[in-house]
Amino acid sequence: MMQPRSNQARPYIVGNWKMNGALADIAILAAIADAVGSDDSIDIGICPPATLIASFAMQCGAMDIGAQDCHAATCGAHTGCLSAAMLKEVGAAFAIVGHSERRAGQYESDADVAAKAHALHAAGMGAIVCVGETLAQRDCGDAIAIVTAQLAASLPALAATDWLSVAYEPVWAIGTGRVPGLADIAAMHAALRATLVEKLGEAGKGVRILYGGSVNPDNASGILAIADVGGALVGGASLKPESFLPIIAAAPR
Ligand code: PEP
């Protein structure tokens, strides 16, 4: 079934619809897919709620459809959960794991996130592993140490470049309209790159590190031009073509 079409050399722009969207919103997906066409200079993913994955996967054109989470187990007594293979069967090529809303709301640990990423890889899917600091952690001056440690503990043992991406998402920037300074984003991405190389060796150089947190059409080009920013994970602005398409257009290629 679905395999991620990603190529680590290309920018990667991913929309996270969170708990928004209904079947009728396939018109939004179709408008984005039409505008993107068959552009092979960029990878684009959209993660709708799980209820929409099957229908969206049939209308997504050159884009990939992803899930917003998966369970680490392949099957069993996990009421309300979905395995990687189940999501793949209905058309998901990848999933976001470790989003801060799940780490906070569902108490997911770094080990949980690593196990979920491992399950995605075992199912032949891509994984976007999210990390990020709270405002209190940033204000204490500990952000880089905390986020790099979070990444090291959230990476599955099998990590390699062709299926894995990382998203740096400061918790305080998500949905707030606040964005770190470009120098702060650059410093964090450089530190995350060093962690990836330390953990994965040469393969760590190729893993795309996305920035996420209040990316919009006005700030996208500045953020996406930073070295080691390989793309963006976009929440609110991905819900409408008029805000998502300019972000896609802003990605350097
Ligand atoms: C997100 O939740 O992943 C996100 C980046 O949200 P927003 O773009 O709305 O800040």
Side-chain angles (χ1 to χ4, degrees):
M1 285 287 297
M2 299 303 299
Q3 296 290 336
R5 284 174 270 212
S6 65
N7 174 326
Q8 300 288 334
R10 300 193 288 242
Y12 192 19
I13 306 292
V14 179
N16 173 16
W17 280 26
K18 311 192 185 191
M19 201 171 72
N20 297 294
L23 279 173
D25 293 324
I26 197 138
I28 295 174
L29 180 83
I32 296 169
D34 277 358
V36 165
S38 56
D39 185 349
D40 62 3
S41 66
I42 188 165
D43 293 324
I44 302 167
I46 295 199
C47 301
T51 50
L52 302 181
I53 289 173
S55 49
F56 275 34
M58 287 190 269
Q59 296 280 330
C60 62
M63 302 187 295
D64 276 333
I65 298 302
Q68 298 172 13
D69 179 49
C70 72
H71 198 280
T74 52
C75 60
H78 304 291
T79 302
C81 299
L82 297 168
S83 72
M86 289 170 179
L87 294 161
K88 184 178 182 182
E89 187 176 37
V90 295
F94 71 99
I96 298 167
V97 289
H99 191 283
S100 61
E101 288 157 12
R102 292 200 60 85
R103 288 179 184 264
Q106 274 70 40
Y107 310 109
E108 290 183 3
S109 67
D110 293 337
D112 294 330
V113 176
K116 288 172 183 228
H118 187 279
L120 287 163
H121 177 59
M125 300 170 69
I128 300 176
V129 173
C130 299
V131 290
E133 82 283 2
T134 63
L135 190 55
Q137 290 166 335
R138 162 81 39 192
D139 287 345
C140 286
D142 292 338
I144 288 187
I146 286 170
V147 176
T148 52
Q150 195 182 29
L151 176 62
S154 300
L155 287 177
L158 278 174
T161 62
D162 56 340
W163 62 281
L164 177 72
S165 304
V166 169
Y168 166 53
E169 298 206 300
V171 178
W172 52 274
I174 293 178
T176 61
R178 296 183 60 191
V179 175
L182 298 184
D184 287 332
I185 297 176
M188 183 64 78
H189 279 239
L192 292 172
R193 174 69 63 210
T195 301
L196 285 166
V197 171
E198 197 180 303
K199 292 281 287 181
L200 309 177
E202 272 298 298
K205 293 185 181 166
V207 174
R208 283 180 291 199
I209 310 173
L210 316 185
Y211 169 79
S214 294
V215 175
N216 63 40
D218 295 329
N219 61 25
S221 60
I223 293 170
L224 290 166
I226 297 171
D228 266 327
V229 172
L233 181 52
V234 185
S238 71
L239 292 168
K240 293 202 169 101
E242 52 271 34
S243 43
F244 196 45
L245 290 171
I247 294 171
I248 293 169
R253 58 263 220 198

